[in-house]
Amino acid sequence: FVVNINTATIDELEKLPNIGRKLGAKIVAHRERHGPFRRVEHLLLVDGISEERFVRLRALVKIE
């Protein structure tokens, strides 16, 4: 499954590997504060998303 990071709920984000409830909430909060992600790489701006974690997530996230 692939998750749209601009529309996903915390529950949907939590289903991704290595993304718990707390990190899912940070992703949603970042999106609400700064607007939709323009590129999936912008997940790296979220506190808690390391480059290593992003590499594992890359194939499972998208934006539309």
Side-chain angles (χ1 to χ4, degrees):
F1 72 103
V2 178
V3 174
N4 182 337
I5 57 174
N6 283 329
T7 60
T9 63
I10 295 171
D11 290 336
E12 291 167 333
L13 291 166
E14 196 176 9
K15 292 176 185 168
L16 292 167
N18 302 323
I19 302 290
R21 188 143 199 90
K22 187 175 177 182
L23 194 49
K26 285 183 179 185
I27 293 169
V28 170
H30 186 278
R31 185 176 73 207
E32 289 172 351
R33 192 173 309 117
H34 302 286
F37 292 96
R38 292 187 306 277
R39 300 175 57 194
V40 292
E41 291 80 7
H42 291 160
L43 272 177
L44 290 164
L45 300 171
V46 177
D47 182 41
I49 303 281
S50 65
E51 208 164 313
E52 181 181 330
R53 184 173 277 170
F54 175 74
V55 168
R56 288 192 299 249
L57 289 174
R58 178 63 188 95
L60 303 174
V61 294
K62 66 179 180 178
I63 56 171
E64 287 180 344

